[in-house]
Amino acid sequence: MNILKYETVSLDENEKALLILDQTKLPAQVNILHLTEIHDIHNAIYTLQVRGAPAIGIAAAFGLYLEALKIDAQDSPSFLAKLRQAKDYLNSARPTAVNLSWALNRMYNSVNVSMSIPEIREILRLEALAIKSEDTETCRRIGEYGLTLIHDGDGILTHCNAGQLATSKYGTALAPIHLGRERGMNFHVYCDETRPLLQGARLSAFELMADGVDTTLICDNMAAQVMKEGRVRAVFVGCDRAASNGDCCNKIGTSGLAVIAKHYGIPFYVFCPVSTVDMNIKTGSEIVIEQRKPEEITEMWYSKRMAPDNVNVYNPAFDVTDHELITGIVTEYGIALPPFTESLKTITNANQAHCLR
Ligand code: MRU
């Protein structure tokens, strides 16, 4: 089955529903959820039925539009007040990936009180569709830049899933691999399993194999050995929020990989659309790290509990890789190199110039 033929997230305009490929069921089952209620959309984001920074932004944008179709109000100011509540509610589903608030703010800021309610609804529909289609183009461009960093046949190590399942198409860190495949290239990708939710095993390995990529699954604690054996030309990872100094927050375990890669002299690249760069924060220490349930570590995936009852569990879902460990940040406007404070400023300004055109 080719999972790449399915849309990660889309809008069914006839049914007025958000369609989500339920990632909690992969790889065993391909199940498309049809969601119409804001609470179900919030829950889908919280439970990772849809996940990955760009994908949750797109899902929330469609969710806000669908909610706008239901809001009952006499005039535009009271309509917008209710829209704002819906935006804040969706934004509360997950705290770390900035794309969620970025997409919701973009939606909300696209409308104003001078518009009629039908006009507001139509603008929100168009904006949500634009967020999705721009994401595809962004990922393709990120993939083009990423391809300049590797050669046919290279071994690449990746963590979590920053592929098509985390975006509208191609992915970010996996975009060069998929684009390379379109051009007849072959890479050998090592997928970290990615404890505790196994996005590497369940999603990246599945997605890459569907594209015919030579894929090898490893446990997270095997990465150092694989790097030491000389199997890895570069590490490619995604990003949930980058600070203006280049500190990058991504799935828990990413930062450890960067430390190991530095030890073995292996380039470590973060793939990050400009929408994931948060220029409002100076360093990664300002990023709120999502904490998740202990059961994800102690019970989930096991047929019986694998830890003592009442053991203390710490389960941060993300970590921050210090900018000193990052070789480059690959965006749709080019590859930012150290010092990131300067290069990210140039790249985000290029984005603003592009948006104004
Ligand atoms: O908890 P998840 O599965 O949503 O975490 C996803 C990641 O950490 C990805 O690497 C990140 O969102 C980049 S997606 C292009």
Side-chain angles (χ1 to χ4, degrees), residues 48 51-54 94 159-162 166-167 172 199 238-240 250-251 318:
L48 276 57
R51 35 76 41 212
R94 294 190 78 186
H159 190 70
C160 193
N161 173 267
T167 63
T172 56
Q199 289 93 333
C239 185
D240 286 85
N250 190 49
K251 181 52 55 191
F318 298 93

Side-chain angles (χ1 to χ4, degrees), residues 121-320:
R121 289 186 172 131
E122 178 57 7
I123 298 277
L124 290 173
R125 185 182 74 85
L126 295 174
E127 198 67 19
L129 290 170
I131 287 172
K132 181 178 169 190
S133 63
E134 286 170 24
D135 181 65
T136 302
E137 176 57 12
T138 293
C139 291
R140 202 191 52 73
R141 289 170 60 174
I142 286 177
E144 293 286 359
Y145 284 113
L147 262 183
T148 66
L149 301 170
I150 47 179
H151 300 102
D152 199 8
D154 278 347
I156 310 294
L157 192 146
T158 193
H159 190 70
C160 193
N161 173 267
Q164 174 153 322
L165 292 167
T167 63
S168 61
K169 198 168 163 63
Y170 298 115
T172 56
L174 297 188
I177 313 293
H178 289 309
L179 272 189
R181 284 297 297 153
E182 283 181 8
R183 292 166 197 180
M185 299 166 92
N186 282 299
F187 302 104
H188 189 137
V189 180
Y190 291 88
C191 291
D192 271 358
E193 173 182 51
T194 316
R195 285 279 295 158
L197 292 181
L198 309 185
Q199 289 93 333
R202 294 187 304 107
L203 307 176
S204 290
F206 186 49
E207 167 179 331
L208 288 166
M209 288 173 74
D211 202 18
V213 175
D214 187 359
T215 305
T216 301
L217 177 63
I218 59 170
C219 297
D220 300 341
N221 54 6
M222 296 169 188
Q225 184 63 16
V226 170
M227 287 195 222
K228 188 175 182 157
E229 289 172 4
R231 296 169 184 267
V232 177
R233 167 76 185 79
V235 179
F236 281 6
V237 295
C239 185
D240 286 85
R241 191 183 295 243
S244 53
N245 72 341
D247 289 350
C248 286
C249 182
N250 190 49
K251 181 52 55 191
I252 192 76
T254 303
S255 157
L257 278 184
V259 173
I260 301 167
K262 178 133 193 151
H263 181 76
Y264 289 114
I266 295 170
F268 185 93
Y269 288 101
V270 175
F271 287 69
C272 176
V274 166
S275 56
T276 306
V277 181
D278 187 349
M279 292 304 276
N280 296 319
I281 57 172
K282 286 203 174 80
T283 75
S285 61
E286 292 170 65
I287 298 172
V288 176
I289 304 284
E290 178 182 3
Q291 303 294 323
R292 296 189 63 92
K293 291 181 187 155
E295 293 75 21
E296 289 180 353
I297 297 180
T298 56
E299 303 176 19
M300 206 172 167
W301 316 118
Y302 299 124
S303 56
K304 62 178 179 14
R305 188 180 164 92
M306 279 291 157
D309 287 341
N310 302 322
V311 69
N312 291 327
V313 172
Y314 178 50
N315 185 15
F318 298 93
D319 61 23
V320 174

Side-chain angles (χ1 to χ4, degrees), residues 61-73:
F62 285 142
L64 192 63
Y65 161 64
L66 293 172
E67 184 59 15
L69 296 180
K70 295 187 178 142
I71 290 175
D72 186 19

